[in-house]
Amino acid sequence: MKNNESVKNLVYDRMNGLVEPRENSLTELNLVQNEFVDGLFCDQAYEEVFAANQRLCQRLGVQADHDVEIIIDNLLAISRHLALKMYDYGVRFSSMPQN
């Protein structure tokens, strides 16, 4: 179960507020907190990114800036990649004998 790609993605999506746990979902998934709940670190950081993007677009006189969108999308992709790798390392380290 721990190495299951769908479980890793469910945990990541839950942390990012993309899915809500269901009654019939994995018990472990119910322990995963949405990190974008109002007032938490990710919510506050994302609000700052959103506000900065709006200010930049206003200065440029555009509704949206393609390069800013590319930057944000790729930083989110990097974050996802690192998070899923971290999950893999956690599984690997948890199966190693303790000294």
Side-chain angles (χ1 to χ4, degrees):
M1 197 249 348
K2 290 182 182 178
N3 290 322
N4 187 323
E5 288 296 313
S6 64
V7 172
K8 284 191 330 188
N9 283 289
L10 273 173
V11 169
Y12 182 85
D13 290 344
R14 173 68 182 129
M15 289 177 64
N16 283 274
L18 302 174
V19 295
E20 292 295 324
R22 296 182 306 263
E23 287 183 28
N24 62 348
S25 67
L26 296 170
T27 304
E28 293 88 346
L29 187 58
N30 292 327
L31 301 174
V32 177
Q33 178 176 321
N34 174 352
E35 297 296 330
F36 285 84
V37 170
D38 288 343
L40 292 183
F41 172 80
C42 291
D43 172 62
Q44 293 173 351
Y46 191 81
E47 288 294 326
E48 288 183 34
V49 169
F50 184 79
N53 184 34
Q54 287 184 314
R55 290 189 304 272
L56 181 59
C57 287
Q58 187 175 22
R59 282 196 306 273
L60 295 173
V62 296
Q63 289 292 96
D65 184 81
H66 184 67
D67 287 332
V68 172
E69 295 301 320
I70 290 171
I71 291 167
I72 292 170
D73 289 345
N74 279 289
L75 285 174
L76 291 172
I78 290 167
S79 175
R80 182 181 192 96
H81 175 80
L82 291 174
L84 296 179
K85 292 296 285 188
M86 186 67 119
Y87 184 100
D88 291 338
Y89 286 125
V91 169
R92 185 181 308 165
F93 294 161
S94 69
S95 66
M96 294 174 67
Q98 299 293 318
N99 290 336

Short mmCIF file of all heavy atoms in Angstrom, two decimals, residues 11-71:
data_model
loop_
_atom_site.label_atom_id
_atom_site.label_comp_id
_atom_site.label_asym_id
_atom_site.label_seq_id
_atom_site.Cartn_x
_atom_site.Cartn_y
_atom_site.Cartn_z
N VAL A 11 -2.61 11.33 -1.32
CA VAL A 11 -2.07 12.08 -0.18
C VAL A 11 -1.68 13.49 -0.63
O VAL A 11 -2.04 14.48 0.01
CB VAL A 11 -0.86 11.35 0.45
CG1 VAL A 11 -0.14 12.24 1.45
CG2 VAL A 11 -1.32 10.05 1.11
N TYR A 12 -0.97 13.58 -1.74
CA TYR A 12 -0.56 14.89 -2.25
C TYR A 12 -1.78 15.76 -2.57
O TYR A 12 -1.84 16.94 -2.18
CB TYR A 12 0.32 14.73 -3.49
CG TYR A 12 0.81 16.04 -4.02
CD1 TYR A 12 1.95 16.63 -3.49
CD2 TYR A 12 0.11 16.72 -5.01
CE1 TYR A 12 2.39 17.87 -3.95
CE2 TYR A 12 0.55 17.96 -5.47
CZ TYR A 12 1.68 18.52 -4.93
OH TYR A 12 2.11 19.74 -5.38
N ASP A 13 -2.74 15.18 -3.26
CA ASP A 13 -3.94 15.94 -3.63
C ASP A 13 -4.72 16.37 -2.40
O ASP A 13 -5.26 17.48 -2.35
CB ASP A 13 -4.83 15.13 -4.57
CG ASP A 13 -4.22 14.96 -5.96
OD1 ASP A 13 -3.27 15.70 -6.30
OD2 ASP A 13 -4.71 14.08 -6.70
N ARG A 14 -4.78 15.51 -1.40
CA ARG A 14 -5.47 15.87 -0.14
C ARG A 14 -4.75 17.03 0.54
O ARG A 14 -5.39 17.98 1.01
CB ARG A 14 -5.55 14.65 0.78
CG ARG A 14 -6.09 14.94 2.15
CD ARG A 14 -7.57 15.31 2.12
NE ARG A 14 -8.01 15.62 3.47
CZ ARG A 14 -8.66 16.71 3.80
NH1 ARG A 14 -9.02 17.59 2.90
NH2 ARG A 14 -9.00 16.94 5.04
N MET A 15 -3.43 16.97 0.60
CA MET A 15 -2.67 18.05 1.23
C MET A 15 -2.88 19.38 0.52
O MET A 15 -2.84 20.43 1.13
CB MET A 15 -1.18 17.71 1.23
CG MET A 15 -0.80 16.62 2.19
SD MET A 15 0.95 16.22 2.09
CE MET A 15 1.68 17.76 2.63
N ASN A 16 -3.12 19.31 -0.79
CA ASN A 16 -3.30 20.51 -1.59
C ASN A 16 -4.76 20.93 -1.72
O ASN A 16 -5.08 21.84 -2.47
CB ASN A 16 -2.68 20.31 -2.97
CG ASN A 16 -1.19 20.45 -2.91
OD1 ASN A 16 -0.66 21.55 -2.99
ND2 ASN A 16 -0.48 19.35 -2.72
N GLY A 17 -5.65 20.25 -0.99
CA GLY A 17 -7.05 20.63 -0.99
C GLY A 17 -7.79 20.27 -2.26
O GLY A 17 -8.86 20.81 -2.54
N LEU A 18 -7.23 19.35 -3.05
CA LEU A 18 -7.85 18.97 -4.32
C LEU A 18 -8.89 17.86 -4.16
O LEU A 18 -9.73 17.70 -5.03
CB LEU A 18 -6.77 18.54 -5.32
CG LEU A 18 -5.72 19.60 -5.62
CD1 LEU A 18 -4.62 19.03 -6.50
CD2 LEU A 18 -6.35 20.83 -6.25
N VAL A 19 -8.80 17.10 -3.07
CA VAL A 19 -9.80 16.05 -2.79
C VAL A 19 -10.13 16.08 -1.30
O VAL A 19 -9.29 16.43 -0.47
CB VAL A 19 -9.30 14.64 -3.17
CG1 VAL A 19 -9.09 14.50 -4.65
CG2 VAL A 19 -8.08 14.25 -2.39
N GLU A 20 -11.35 15.72 -1.01
CA GLU A 20 -11.79 15.59 0.38
C GLU A 20 -11.86 14.10 0.71
O GLU A 20 -12.21 13.30 -0.15
CB GLU A 20 -13.17 16.23 0.57
CG GLU A 20 -13.18 17.73 0.42
CD GLU A 20 -12.37 18.43 1.49
OE1 GLU A 20 -12.37 17.96 2.64
OE2 GLU A 20 -11.75 19.45 1.17
N PRO A 21 -11.50 13.72 1.94
CA PRO A 21 -11.61 12.30 2.28
C PRO A 21 -13.06 11.88 2.29
O PRO A 21 -13.94 12.67 2.62
CB PRO A 21 -10.99 12.21 3.68
CG PRO A 21 -11.07 13.59 4.22
CD PRO A 21 -11.04 14.53 3.05
N ARG A 22 -13.30 10.66 1.87
CA ARG A 22 -14.65 10.10 1.87
C ARG A 22 -14.73 9.07 2.97
O ARG A 22 -13.72 8.56 3.44
CB ARG A 22 -14.95 9.46 0.52
CG ARG A 22 -14.96 10.45 -0.63
CD ARG A 22 -15.33 9.77 -1.93
NE ARG A 22 -14.48 8.63 -2.22
CZ ARG A 22 -13.42 8.65 -3.02
NH1 ARG A 22 -13.07 9.77 -3.60
NH2 ARG A 22 -12.71 7.57 -3.24
N GLU A 23 -15.94 8.76 3.36
CA GLU A 23 -16.13 7.77 4.41
C GLU A 23 -15.53 6.43 4.03
O GLU A 23 -15.03 5.71 4.87
CB GLU A 23 -17.63 7.60 4.71
CG GLU A 23 -18.22 8.77 5.46
CD GLU A 23 -19.67 8.53 5.79
OE1 GLU A 23 -20.08 7.37 5.93
OE2 GLU A 23 -20.40 9.53 5.89
N ASN A 24 -15.55 6.10 2.74
CA ASN A 24 -15.04 4.81 2.31
C ASN A 24 -13.57 4.87 1.88
O ASN A 24 -13.05 3.93 1.33
CB ASN A 24 -15.89 4.25 1.16
CG ASN A 24 -15.87 5.16 -0.06
OD1 ASN A 24 -15.41 6.29 0.01
ND2 ASN A 24 -16.38 4.65 -1.17
N SER A 25 -12.89 6.00 2.14
CA SER A 25 -11.50 6.13 1.73
C SER A 25 -10.58 5.48 2.75
O SER A 25 -10.99 5.08 3.83
CB SER A 25 -11.14 7.60 1.54
OG SER A 25 -11.16 8.27 2.77
N LEU A 26 -9.32 5.40 2.38
CA LEU A 26 -8.32 4.84 3.28
C LEU A 26 -8.31 5.59 4.60
O LEU A 26 -8.38 6.81 4.62
CB LEU A 26 -6.92 4.95 2.66
CG LEU A 26 -6.66 4.17 1.38
CD1 LEU A 26 -5.33 4.60 0.77
CD2 LEU A 26 -6.65 2.69 1.68
N THR A 27 -8.21 4.86 5.68
CA THR A 27 -8.17 5.48 7.00
C THR A 27 -7.01 6.47 7.08
O THR A 27 -7.14 7.56 7.63
CB THR A 27 -8.01 4.41 8.10
OG1 THR A 27 -9.08 3.49 7.96
CG2 THR A 27 -8.01 5.02 9.47
N GLU A 28 -5.87 6.11 6.50
CA GLU A 28 -4.70 6.98 6.54
C GLU A 28 -4.97 8.31 5.85
O GLU A 28 -4.51 9.35 6.29
CB GLU A 28 -3.48 6.30 5.88
CG GLU A 28 -2.96 5.12 6.63
CD GLU A 28 -3.65 3.80 6.23
OE1 GLU A 28 -4.71 3.83 5.56
OE2 GLU A 28 -3.13 2.74 6.59
N LEU A 29 -5.74 8.28 4.77
CA LEU A 29 -6.04 9.52 4.05
C LEU A 29 -6.84 10.48 4.92
O LEU A 29 -6.69 11.70 4.81
CB LEU A 29 -6.79 9.23 2.75
CG LEU A 29 -7.02 10.40 1.82
CD1 LEU A 29 -5.70 11.04 1.42
CD2 LEU A 29 -7.79 9.97 0.60
N ASN A 30 -7.65 9.95 5.81
CA ASN A 30 -8.41 10.81 6.72
C ASN A 30 -7.50 11.54 7.70
O ASN A 30 -7.91 12.53 8.30
CB ASN A 30 -9.47 9.99 7.46
CG ASN A 30 -10.56 9.50 6.53
OD1 ASN A 30 -10.91 10.17 5.58
ND2 ASN A 30 -11.07 8.32 6.80
N LEU A 31 -6.28 11.06 7.87
CA LEU A 31 -5.32 11.73 8.75
C LEU A 31 -4.56 12.86 8.06
O LEU A 31 -3.89 13.63 8.72
CB LEU A 31 -4.30 10.70 9.29
CG LEU A 31 -4.87 9.53 10.08
CD1 LEU A 31 -3.75 8.54 10.41
CD2 LEU A 31 -5.54 10.03 11.34
N VAL A 32 -4.67 12.93 6.74
CA VAL A 32 -3.93 13.92 5.96
C VAL A 32 -4.70 15.24 5.96
O VAL A 32 -5.87 15.29 5.58
CB VAL A 32 -3.71 13.43 4.51
CG1 VAL A 32 -2.99 14.50 3.69
CG2 VAL A 32 -2.92 12.13 4.51
N GLN A 33 -4.03 16.29 6.37
CA GLN A 33 -4.65 17.61 6.47
C GLN A 33 -4.53 18.39 5.18
O GLN A 33 -3.49 18.37 4.52
CB GLN A 33 -3.98 18.40 7.59
CG GLN A 33 -4.53 19.81 7.75
CD GLN A 33 -3.90 20.53 8.92
OE1 GLN A 33 -3.67 19.94 9.96
NE2 GLN A 33 -3.63 21.79 8.73
N ASN A 34 -5.58 19.10 4.81
CA ASN A 34 -5.54 20.05 3.72
C ASN A 34 -4.68 21.22 4.20
O ASN A 34 -5.05 21.95 5.12
CB ASN A 34 -6.96 20.51 3.39
CG ASN A 34 -7.00 21.60 2.36
OD1 ASN A 34 -5.99 22.16 1.95
ND2 ASN A 34 -8.21 21.94 1.94
N GLU A 35 -3.52 21.41 3.59
CA GLU A 35 -2.58 22.45 4.01
C GLU A 35 -2.95 23.84 3.50
O GLU A 35 -2.26 24.81 3.81
CB GLU A 35 -1.16 22.08 3.58
CG GLU A 35 -0.63 20.80 4.22
CD GLU A 35 -0.48 20.91 5.73
OE1 GLU A 35 -0.23 22.02 6.24
OE2 GLU A 35 -0.60 19.87 6.41
N PHE A 36 -4.05 23.93 2.73
CA PHE A 36 -4.49 25.22 2.20
C PHE A 36 -5.73 25.75 2.91
O PHE A 36 -6.39 26.65 2.41
CB PHE A 36 -4.72 25.12 0.69
CG PHE A 36 -3.43 25.08 -0.09
CD1 PHE A 36 -2.76 23.88 -0.26
CD2 PHE A 36 -2.88 26.23 -0.61
CE1 PHE A 36 -1.56 23.84 -0.95
CE2 PHE A 36 -1.68 26.21 -1.30
CZ PHE A 36 -1.02 25.00 -1.48
N VAL A 37 -6.02 25.20 4.07
CA VAL A 37 -7.13 25.70 4.88
C VAL A 37 -6.81 27.14 5.29
O VAL A 37 -5.65 27.49 5.54
CB VAL A 37 -7.34 24.80 6.12
CG1 VAL A 37 -8.31 25.42 7.10
CG2 VAL A 37 -7.82 23.42 5.69
N ASP A 38 -7.85 27.97 5.36
CA ASP A 38 -7.66 29.38 5.72
C ASP A 38 -6.76 29.53 6.94
O ASP A 38 -6.98 28.88 7.97
CB ASP A 38 -9.01 30.04 6.03
CG ASP A 38 -9.84 30.27 4.78
OD1 ASP A 38 -9.28 30.22 3.66
OD2 ASP A 38 -11.05 30.51 4.92
N GLY A 39 -5.75 30.38 6.78
CA GLY A 39 -4.87 30.73 7.89
C GLY A 39 -3.63 29.88 8.02
O GLY A 39 -2.69 30.28 8.71
N LEU A 40 -3.59 28.71 7.36
CA LEU A 40 -2.38 27.88 7.44
C LEU A 40 -1.30 28.46 6.53
O LEU A 40 -1.55 29.29 5.67
CB LEU A 40 -2.69 26.44 7.05
CG LEU A 40 -3.57 25.65 8.01
CD1 LEU A 40 -3.73 24.21 7.54
CD2 LEU A 40 -3.01 25.67 9.43
N PHE A 41 -0.08 27.99 6.70
CA PHE A 41 1.08 28.51 5.97
C PHE A 41 0.86 28.52 4.45
O PHE A 41 1.09 29.54 3.80
CB PHE A 41 2.34 27.69 6.30
CG PHE A 41 3.50 28.05 5.43
CD1 PHE A 41 4.25 29.18 5.69
CD2 PHE A 41 3.82 27.27 4.32
CE1 PHE A 41 5.32 29.53 4.87
CE2 PHE A 41 4.88 27.61 3.50
CZ PHE A 41 5.62 28.74 3.77
N CYS A 42 0.43 27.39 3.88
CA CYS A 42 0.28 27.31 2.42
C CYS A 42 -0.78 28.28 1.91
O CYS A 42 -0.61 28.89 0.85
CB CYS A 42 -0.04 25.89 1.99
SG CYS A 42 1.34 24.75 2.20
N ASP A 43 -1.86 28.44 2.67
CA ASP A 43 -2.90 29.39 2.29
C ASP A 43 -2.33 30.80 2.26
O ASP A 43 -2.54 31.55 1.30
CB ASP A 43 -4.07 29.31 3.27
CG ASP A 43 -5.09 30.41 3.06
OD1 ASP A 43 -5.68 30.46 1.96
OD2 ASP A 43 -5.29 31.22 3.98
N GLN A 44 -1.60 31.17 3.29
CA GLN A 44 -1.03 32.52 3.37
C GLN A 44 0.01 32.74 2.27
O GLN A 44 0.02 33.80 1.63
CB GLN A 44 -0.42 32.75 4.75
CG GLN A 44 -1.47 32.79 5.84
CD GLN A 44 -0.87 32.84 7.23
OE1 GLN A 44 0.34 32.68 7.42
NE2 GLN A 44 -1.72 33.06 8.22
N ALA A 45 0.86 31.76 2.04
CA ALA A 45 1.90 31.89 1.00
C ALA A 45 1.25 32.00 -0.38
O ALA A 45 1.67 32.83 -1.21
CB ALA A 45 2.85 30.70 1.05
N TYR A 46 0.22 31.20 -0.64
CA TYR A 46 -0.45 31.27 -1.94
C TYR A 46 -1.14 32.61 -2.13
O TYR A 46 -1.13 33.17 -3.24
CB TYR A 46 -1.44 30.11 -2.11
CG TYR A 46 -1.94 30.02 -3.53
CD1 TYR A 46 -1.17 29.39 -4.50
CD2 TYR A 46 -3.15 30.60 -3.90
CE1 TYR A 46 -1.61 29.33 -5.81
CE2 TYR A 46 -3.58 30.55 -5.22
CZ TYR A 46 -2.82 29.91 -6.17
OH TYR A 46 -3.25 29.86 -7.46
N GLU A 47 -1.74 33.14 -1.07
CA GLU A 47 -2.36 34.46 -1.16
C GLU A 47 -1.33 35.52 -1.54
O GLU A 47 -1.63 36.41 -2.34
CB GLU A 47 -3.03 34.83 0.17
CG GLU A 47 -4.30 34.05 0.45
CD GLU A 47 -5.43 34.36 -0.52
OE1 GLU A 47 -5.54 35.51 -0.96
OE2 GLU A 47 -6.18 33.43 -0.83
N GLU A 48 -0.13 35.42 -1.00
CA GLU A 48 0.93 36.37 -1.35
C GLU A 48 1.34 36.22 -2.80
O GLU A 48 1.58 37.22 -3.49
CB GLU A 48 2.13 36.20 -0.43
CG GLU A 48 1.89 36.69 0.98
CD GLU A 48 3.11 36.57 1.86
OE1 GLU A 48 4.25 36.74 1.36
OE2 GLU A 48 2.94 36.31 3.06
N VAL A 49 1.45 34.98 -3.29
CA VAL A 49 1.78 34.74 -4.70
C VAL A 49 0.69 35.33 -5.59
O VAL A 49 0.98 36.02 -6.58
CB VAL A 49 1.95 33.23 -4.98
CG1 VAL A 49 2.02 32.94 -6.48
CG2 VAL A 49 3.18 32.69 -4.27
N PHE A 50 -0.56 35.07 -5.25
CA PHE A 50 -1.68 35.57 -6.04
C PHE A 50 -1.69 37.09 -6.08
O PHE A 50 -1.84 37.70 -7.15
CB PHE A 50 -3.00 35.04 -5.45
CG PHE A 50 -4.21 35.42 -6.25
CD1 PHE A 50 -4.53 34.74 -7.41
CD2 PHE A 50 -5.03 36.47 -5.83
CE1 PHE A 50 -5.66 35.09 -8.16
CE2 PHE A 50 -6.14 36.83 -6.57
CZ PHE A 50 -6.46 36.14 -7.73
N ALA A 51 -1.47 37.73 -4.94
CA ALA A 51 -1.46 39.19 -4.87
C ALA A 51 -0.29 39.78 -5.67
O ALA A 51 -0.46 40.77 -6.39
CB ALA A 51 -1.40 39.66 -3.41
N ALA A 52 0.87 39.14 -5.56
CA ALA A 52 2.05 39.61 -6.31
C ALA A 52 1.80 39.48 -7.82
O ALA A 52 2.16 40.37 -8.60
CB ALA A 52 3.29 38.83 -5.90
N ASN A 53 1.17 38.39 -8.22
CA ASN A 53 0.85 38.19 -9.64
C ASN A 53 -0.11 39.27 -10.12
O ASN A 53 0.07 39.83 -11.21
CB ASN A 53 0.25 36.79 -9.85
CG ASN A 53 -0.02 36.49 -11.30
OD1 ASN A 53 0.70 36.93 -12.19
ND2 ASN A 53 -1.07 35.73 -11.55
N GLN A 54 -1.11 39.58 -9.32
CA GLN A 54 -2.06 40.63 -9.70
C GLN A 54 -1.36 41.98 -9.84
O GLN A 54 -1.62 42.73 -10.79
CB GLN A 54 -3.19 40.73 -8.68
CG GLN A 54 -4.18 39.60 -8.77
CD GLN A 54 -5.34 39.79 -7.82
OE1 GLN A 54 -5.15 40.14 -6.66
NE2 GLN A 54 -6.54 39.56 -8.33
N ARG A 55 -0.47 42.30 -8.88
CA ARG A 55 0.25 43.58 -8.94
C ARG A 55 1.14 43.64 -10.19
O ARG A 55 1.19 44.67 -10.88
CB ARG A 55 1.08 43.80 -7.69
CG ARG A 55 0.27 44.08 -6.44
CD ARG A 55 1.15 44.50 -5.27
NE ARG A 55 2.20 43.56 -4.95
CZ ARG A 55 2.07 42.51 -4.11
NH1 ARG A 55 0.90 42.28 -3.52
NH2 ARG A 55 3.07 41.71 -3.88
N LEU A 56 1.82 42.55 -10.48
CA LEU A 56 2.68 42.51 -11.66
C LEU A 56 1.88 42.69 -12.94
O LEU A 56 2.25 43.49 -13.81
CB LEU A 56 3.46 41.19 -11.69
CG LEU A 56 4.43 41.00 -12.85
CD1 LEU A 56 5.49 42.10 -12.85
CD2 LEU A 56 5.09 39.63 -12.75
N CYS A 57 0.77 41.99 -13.04
CA CYS A 57 -0.08 42.13 -14.23
C CYS A 57 -0.63 43.55 -14.35
O CYS A 57 -0.70 44.10 -15.46
CB CYS A 57 -1.22 41.12 -14.20
SG CYS A 57 -0.66 39.43 -14.52
N GLN A 58 -0.96 44.16 -13.22
CA GLN A 58 -1.45 45.54 -13.25
C GLN A 58 -0.35 46.48 -13.76
O GLN A 58 -0.61 47.35 -14.60
CB GLN A 58 -1.92 45.96 -11.86
CG GLN A 58 -2.59 47.30 -11.83
CD GLN A 58 -3.14 47.63 -10.45
OE1 GLN A 58 -2.70 47.09 -9.45
NE2 GLN A 58 -4.12 48.52 -10.43
N ARG A 59 0.88 46.30 -13.28
CA ARG A 59 1.99 47.13 -13.75
C ARG A 59 2.26 46.93 -15.24
O ARG A 59 2.61 47.87 -15.95
CB ARG A 59 3.26 46.84 -12.96
CG ARG A 59 3.30 47.46 -11.60
CD ARG A 59 4.71 47.49 -10.99
NE ARG A 59 5.38 46.21 -10.94
CZ ARG A 59 5.26 45.32 -9.94
NH1 ARG A 59 4.48 45.57 -8.91
NH2 ARG A 59 5.92 44.19 -9.97
N LEU A 60 2.08 45.69 -15.71
CA LEU A 60 2.31 45.40 -17.13
C LEU A 60 1.12 45.79 -18.00
O LEU A 60 1.21 45.81 -19.22
CB LEU A 60 2.61 43.90 -17.31
CG LEU A 60 3.90 43.40 -16.68
CD1 LEU A 60 3.97 41.87 -16.80
CD2 LEU A 60 5.11 44.05 -17.32
N GLY A 61 -0.02 46.07 -17.36
CA GLY A 61 -1.22 46.45 -18.10
C GLY A 61 -1.87 45.28 -18.82
O GLY A 61 -2.43 45.46 -19.90
N VAL A 62 -1.76 44.08 -18.22
CA VAL A 62 -2.34 42.89 -18.85
C VAL A 62 -3.24 42.17 -17.85
O VAL A 62 -3.14 42.38 -16.64
CB VAL A 62 -1.24 41.92 -19.35
CG1 VAL A 62 -0.42 42.57 -20.45
CG2 VAL A 62 -0.36 41.44 -18.21
N GLN A 63 -4.14 41.32 -18.37
CA GLN A 63 -4.98 40.50 -17.50
C GLN A 63 -4.18 39.37 -16.87
O GLN A 63 -4.39 39.01 -15.73
CB GLN A 63 -6.15 39.92 -18.31
CG GLN A 63 -7.18 40.94 -18.71
CD GLN A 63 -7.92 41.47 -17.50
OE1 GLN A 63 -7.58 42.51 -16.97
NE2 GLN A 63 -8.94 40.75 -17.09
N ALA A 64 -3.31 38.77 -17.69
CA ALA A 64 -2.46 37.66 -17.22
C ALA A 64 -1.16 37.72 -18.00
O ALA A 64 -1.12 38.21 -19.13
CB ALA A 64 -3.15 36.33 -17.45
N ASP A 65 -0.12 37.26 -17.38
CA ASP A 65 1.19 37.23 -18.04
C ASP A 65 1.61 35.77 -18.22
O ASP A 65 1.70 35.02 -17.24
CB ASP A 65 2.23 37.98 -17.21
CG ASP A 65 3.56 38.05 -17.92
OD1 ASP A 65 3.71 38.92 -18.80
OD2 ASP A 65 4.43 37.20 -17.62
N HIS A 66 1.84 35.39 -19.45
CA HIS A 66 2.17 34.00 -19.79
C HIS A 66 3.43 33.52 -19.05
O HIS A 66 3.46 32.40 -18.55
CB HIS A 66 2.32 33.84 -21.30
CG HIS A 66 2.57 32.45 -21.74
ND1 HIS A 66 1.61 31.45 -21.63
CD2 HIS A 66 3.66 31.87 -22.28
CE1 HIS A 66 2.12 30.31 -22.08
NE2 HIS A 66 3.35 30.54 -22.49
N ASP A 67 4.44 34.36 -18.98
CA ASP A 67 5.68 33.95 -18.31
C ASP A 67 5.47 33.73 -16.82
O ASP A 67 6.03 32.80 -16.24
CB ASP A 67 6.78 34.99 -18.55
CG ASP A 67 7.31 34.95 -19.97
OD1 ASP A 67 7.25 33.87 -20.60
OD2 ASP A 67 7.78 35.99 -20.45
N VAL A 68 4.67 34.56 -16.18
CA VAL A 68 4.37 34.38 -14.76
C VAL A 68 3.63 33.06 -14.56
O VAL A 68 3.93 32.30 -13.63
CB VAL A 68 3.55 35.56 -14.20
CG1 VAL A 68 3.07 35.25 -12.79
CG2 VAL A 68 4.38 36.84 -14.22
N GLU A 69 2.69 32.76 -15.45
CA GLU A 69 1.95 31.49 -15.36
C GLU A 69 2.90 30.30 -15.52
O GLU A 69 2.76 29.29 -14.81
CB GLU A 69 0.83 31.44 -16.39
CG GLU A 69 -0.26 32.46 -16.16
CD GLU A 69 -0.94 32.31 -14.80
OE1 GLU A 69 -1.18 31.17 -14.37
OE2 GLU A 69 -1.23 33.35 -14.18
N ILE A 70 3.84 30.40 -16.44
CA ILE A 70 4.83 29.33 -16.63
C ILE A 70 5.66 29.15 -15.36
O ILE A 70 5.90 28.01 -14.92
CB ILE A 70 5.74 29.63 -17.84
CG1 ILE A 70 4.95 29.48 -19.14
CG2 ILE A 70 6.96 28.70 -17.86
CD1 ILE A 70 5.69 29.95 -20.38
N ILE A 71 6.09 30.25 -14.76
CA ILE A 71 6.88 30.18 -13.53
C ILE A 71 6.07 29.50 -12.42
O ILE A 71 6.56 28.57 -11.77
CB ILE A 71 7.32 31.59 -13.09
CG1 ILE A 71 8.36 32.16 -14.07
CG2 ILE A 71 7.89 31.56 -11.66
CD1 ILE A 71 8.62 33.65 -13.90
#
